[in-house]
Amino acid sequence: AMSVPERMAFWRYHMERCIRCYACRNACPMCVCRDHCIAQSREPHWLTQEDTATEKLFFQVVHAMHLAGRCTECGECQRACPMDIPVLALKKHLNRTIHDLFSYQAGVDPQAIPPLLQFKLEEDNIKERSW
């Protein structure tokens, strides 16, 4: 229900408190790239070591996108955060978007392939072309 400037202020406030401990990432049972995480990669160098809210939010958004369609909203990321930052809210937002676009919910059908891990020429709910 917040406007875009209000949402940015909300996340800026929380990211300024972040200590970049990556407890949220480490606690996530779905995060499988700990050995090659963008937070620690220097080739390519995606993130700087700057202690800015922008860099911290960038990591959180990339992490949330990485888990889009796979996050089961277990809440371990948020429980692990020593600063009580509501990082699960980003993942819930993306899960709602994935559900709306692809009618998919993570963790419901163990045989289902998450939509961002497969390719279809034309998605049912995304009309990019008019044939």
Side-chain angles (χ1 to χ4, degrees):
M2 288 187 253
S3 68
V4 172
E6 289 171 330
R7 279 183 279 182
M8 262 324 282
F10 173 85
W11 286 111
R12 182 164 297 286
Y13 165 75
H14 286 295
M15 291 301 112
E16 286 172 353
R17 297 182 312 108
C18 175
I19 59 174
R20 281 178 90 158
C21 65
Y22 301 117
C24 53
R25 176 201 63 191
N26 296 340
C28 178
M30 297 307 293
C31 188
V32 295
C33 62
R34 287 187 190 101
D35 295 336
H36 304 286
C37 181
I38 68 157
Q40 294 155 325
S41 171
R42 295 300 166 246
E43 277 300 320
H45 196 159
W46 289 97
L47 289 173
T48 70
Q49 295 301 311
E50 292 177 21
D51 189 31
T52 65
T54 302
E55 286 290 306
K56 297 172 200 176
L57 183 58
F58 179 64
F59 168 75
Q60 289 298 337
V61 169
V62 169
H63 191 245
M65 285 298 296
H66 182 114
L67 296 170
R70 298 185 310 124
C71 176
T72 59
E73 299 181 21
C74 69
E76 285 303 309
C77 55
Q78 195 159 300
R79 277 191 281 280
C81 180
M83 305 307 290
D84 294 319
I85 297 170
V87 293
L88 184 58
L90 286 170
K91 293 160 183 101
K92 284 184 174 186
H93 174 73
L94 283 174
N95 277 351
R96 280 191 305 272
T97 302
I98 293 290
H99 184 268
D100 293 347
L101 287 175
F102 304 106
S103 301
Y104 177 85
Q105 186 174 353
V108 174
D109 179 0
Q111 303 305 316
I113 300 171
L116 299 183
L117 295 180
Q118 59 182 315
F119 173 78
K120 291 182 182 177
L121 187 58
E122 187 75 31
E123 292 290 345
D124 297 335
N125 296 329
I126 302 173
K127 304 296 181 202
E128 291 184 46
R129 315 171 217 271
S130 56
W131 298 93

